[in-house]
Amino acid sequence: AAPRPAHGCGSGALLGRFGVLLQALLALCAFSTLMLKRFKEPKAERRPWRIWFYDTSKQAIGALFIHFANVFLSDLTEEDPCSLYLINFILDATLGMLLIWLGVKVVSWIVQHKKYTYLAFGEYGDPPQAAAWIGQCILYLLIMVFEKTVISLVLLIPGWTKLQQILLGYIPSPQLELVLVMFVVPFIVNAIMFWVVDSLIMRKYKQKDTLDINGSTETPRARRTEESQVLLSPDMDFDQSESDQDVSGLQGTSQKMKQPSYQVVI
């Protein structure tokens, strides 16, 4: 077979100086979409910065794991590492997204069934507890490990070499190939993935008030309404009794009134 043209990405290109610069720029631009998402939330439902950090940091840990796993897998063979990385990334964004969704649903069901309140994605207690965040990070990382393992097994299916040649074989410049693989395509796909996954693993802030640490699901508004009714009911009875006495005194009615407490029964 003819050797690969020199325009392809060479071994170690993903971790070279230019590649690392592109990865840092990608991380900055991709996570800016999560900040934009926070500001797009209605003010009544907008998460505090601490809750937002707890939610998005789980994605950051998972994305870093997937990224470095893809870089490692791309340098295992003598094939073009850029095309291998792109194939891994495309599979992560399609089949991997489905696996992440399935993993979040299964883990959430187990947590709800076992009543592990602090392990429910997006719930950190009041005030927020770092221990709950750490536990949720571990659960999310396990989901990402499961996703990457399945994707790696899919890559063992023969026939991916032809797809590698189709994807990037027509690009003559290794720098352009690296920009497309490490910045342009990942930025577009990551922006969509981060937005969707953040909606999966967050709990809307307006729903947090309905959860109590002791397991009560009564809303604060309902509690305030009930308390106000209890506080107002004696005054209403008192006012009503006074008004009845005034009306009876003015009209001279002979209706039998409630006996006062100071009467002595012989």
Side-chain angles (χ1 to χ4, degrees), residues 108-120:
S108 299
W109 181 84
I110 294 175
V111 167
Q112 183 179 5
H113 182 70
K114 296 294 184 179
K115 297 181 179 179
Y116 297 145
T117 306
Y118 288 115
L119 291 181

Side-chain angles (χ1 to χ4, degrees), residues 125-165:
D126 188 16
Q129 302 293 324
W133 168 70
I134 294 174
Q136 294 177 35
C137 285
I138 294 174
L139 286 179
Y140 188 73
L141 186 58
L142 290 176
I143 293 174
M144 302 306 290
V145 171
F146 164 74
E147 183 267 343
K148 195 66 234 178
T149 301
V150 175
I151 296 300
S152 300
L153 294 176
V154 171
L155 283 173
L156 296 178
I157 301 175
W160 293 107
T161 305
K162 294 181 179 180
L163 181 59
Q164 293 174 221
Q165 298 173 355

Side-chain angles (χ1 to χ4, degrees), residues 49 89 173:
W49 281 110
F89 187 82
S173 172

Side-chain angles (χ1 to χ4, degrees), residues 10 17 30 70 79 123 126 135 137 151 153 158 202 217 258:
R17 181 178 300 178
N70 289 341
E79 300 291 337
E123 293 294 342
D126 188 16
C137 285
I151 296 300
L153 294 176
M202 69 171 281
T217 57
K258 187 182 295 183

Side-chain angles (χ1 to χ4, degrees), residues 221-232:
R221 180 177 296 178
R223 288 197 294 268
R224 289 195 297 268
T225 303
E226 184 179 355
E227 290 172 359
S228 62
Q229 290 176 353
V230 172
L231 292 174
L232 290 174

Side-chain angles (χ1 to χ4, degrees), residues 11-80:
S11 178
L14 299 180
L15 292 178
R17 181 178 300 178
F18 186 64
V20 171
L21 178 62
L22 289 176
Q23 294 171 51
L25 185 61
L26 170 65
L28 179 63
C29 294
F31 284 103
S32 65
T33 60
L34 292 174
M35 188 173 296
L36 175 63
K37 182 178 183 295
R38 179 186 180 273
F39 286 111
K40 295 292 288 184
E41 297 171 358
K43 289 185 177 180
E45 306 174 15
R46 188 173 297 169
R47 293 166 287 177
W49 281 110
R50 187 174 182 180
I51 300 297
W52 176 85
F53 171 77
Y54 281 170
D55 286 341
T56 56
S57 58
K58 292 194 288 286
Q59 284 206 74
I61 295 173
L64 286 175
F65 168 77
I66 293 297
H67 171 73
F68 287 111
N70 289 341
V71 171
F72 173 75
L73 293 174
S74 299
D75 277 333
L76 285 181
T77 65
E78 297 180 356
E79 300 291 337
D80 179 13

